[in-house]
Amino acid sequence: MKLYLYIFSLLLSSFTFAQSKTTAIVEYKQVNNGYFRSHYYCTLFIEGTTTIFLPKYNTTYVTEGEKINNEPKEIYPDWEYLKIDHGKQQICFFGAFSTNFFLIKDDYNKLNWIISEEVKTIGGYQCTKATTNFRGVDWIVWFAPEIALPYGPWKLHGLPGLILEASAGKGSPKWIVEKIEYKNGDIFDKDFKMLVDTKNKEAIPLKEFLEKNKEWSDNVTAKMKQERPDSTIYTAPIRGDYEEKYEWEE
């Protein structure tokens, strides 16, 4: 009888552990070592095959090694949610230009990872290095095979383990894991589409959003040129922070 109870206890513990591994809240610190050195925090919420990524801007700004501002981990802005349903292969997020907010849907891309033999320890976990190119940007990440969650910050996914560190090219900001908690996030109890007050109720394709954004930007630029004909006006390209070339631009 004691043997049966022991076996049942082991099975129950294994089942509970397996369940806990399908839900997690992962806190990342994003470090920027450019001219304006800074860092802020991002949270990845995981529930089953769905993830929600939320950058939380604001934290410590450093110039020439001297801390000049230290603020709490506030959520600002509070509209940069990115939700991926990996089971249904759907990506939804919020974007904005001018004072308008939009609900946007993106294509679910399979990332072609090259897994190396390089390993290092991050946060007590042995991690393996992997690389890929996504939309014209080279990524280097380190994932932990012992954490069987094939997810990571932003739109990074598809590795046999949780991504604990990620960077996009030399000198770019780097995401580094700060904390992992295996618990539910109440954000999944909310209607994702209602988290932000948007102009559209149904998600529009990313390409359409970028076209709308460019049209607005071109109109603003044309007006500025008309009002200040002698001025030199520089316009930034309309695309994501980590995306240099989209599929439809091939």
Side-chain angles (χ1 to χ4, degrees):
M1 183 64 179
K2 288 184 178 179
L3 178 61
Y4 288 140
L5 288 175
Y6 177 71
I7 294 174
F8 176 77
S9 177
L10 281 179
L11 289 173
L12 183 61
S13 298
S14 299
F15 176 73
T16 303
F17 181 77
Q19 273 194 321
S20 68
K21 284 291 187 180
T22 65
T23 59
I25 298 177
V26 186
E27 187 94 354
Y28 294 94
K29 179 168 70 174
Q30 178 160 322
V31 180
N32 182 359
N33 289 320
Y35 180 76
F36 294 105
R37 298 178 59 195
S38 64
H39 70 253
Y40 64 86
Y41 292 84
C42 311
T43 302
L44 177 69
F45 301 91
I46 302 171
E47 185 172 277
T49 59
T50 302
T51 59
I52 294 177
F53 183 64
L54 176 62
K56 296 183 288 185
Y57 296 113
N58 215 352
T59 37
T60 304
Y61 295 82
V62 181
T63 300
E64 296 180 353
E66 181 181 353
K67 186 183 295 184
I68 60 173
N69 189 20
N70 189 15
E71 299 180 0
K73 299 181 190 179
E74 298 173 355
I75 297 177
Y76 176 81
D78 61 358
W79 50 266
E80 282 201 10
Y81 300 94
L82 186 150
K83 179 181 181 180
I84 306 180
D85 187 325
H86 299 269
K88 296 180 180 179
Q89 297 192 349
Q90 296 175 345
I91 298 179
C92 232
F93 63 97
F94 297 97
F97 58 82
S98 183
T99 58
N100 301 317
F101 296 88
F102 295 87
L103 179 64
I104 306 159
K105 60 182 177 182
D106 194 5
D107 295 329
Y108 187 91
N109 290 275
K110 181 181 179 181
L111 305 183
N112 298 314
W113 293 103
I114 299 174
I115 300 176
S116 76
E117 295 182 357
E118 291 185 58
V119 296
K120 71 175 181 178
T121 301
I122 301 174
Y125 297 96
Q126 180 169 296
C127 296
T128 302
K129 181 181 178 180
T131 59
T132 191
N133 182 283
F134 175 52
R135 289 179 171 168
V137 176
D138 292 322
W139 286 90
I140 299 173
V141 307
W142 296 84
F143 68 95
E146 64 184 283
I147 307 178
L149 295 168
Y151 312 121
W154 189 56
K155 299 177 185 178
L156 303 178
H157 65 273
L159 283 164
L162 183 67
I163 296 173
L164 301 191
E165 183 178 307
S167 59
K170 185 177 180 180
S172 70
K174 179 187 293 185
W175 285 304
I176 306 173
V177 74
E178 284 264 302
K179 181 172 63 175
I180 304 172
E181 296 181 281
Y182 298 104
K183 64 180 185 180
N184 294 318
D186 59 6
I187 193 169
F188 292 103
D189 298 330
K190 304 171 184 176
D191 182 351
F192 184 79
K193 294 181 179 181
M194 302 300 290
L195 289 177
V196 177
D197 186 15
T198 58
K199 290 181 68 66
N200 56 320
K201 299 306 176 186
E202 294 301 321
I204 62 173
L206 175 58
K207 182 180 178 181
E208 181 180 341
F209 169 76
L210 293 174
E211 289 170 347
K212 289 178 181 290
N213 195 346
K214 186 177 186 306
E215 181 182 6
W216 171 81
S217 179
D218 289 345
N219 290 337
V220 171
T221 301
K223 185 176 180 181
M224 291 176 66
K225 286 181 178 179
Q226 185 179 15
E227 294 175 349
R228 302 177 183 178
D230 297 330
S231 300
T232 302
I233 301 172
Y234 299 94
T235 56
I238 306 299
R239 56 190 64 243
D241 292 338
Y242 302 103
E243 295 162 315
E244 295 182 356
K245 189 175 183 179
Y246 295 102
E247 296 78 34
W248 57 83
E249 297 174 327
E250 297 291 343

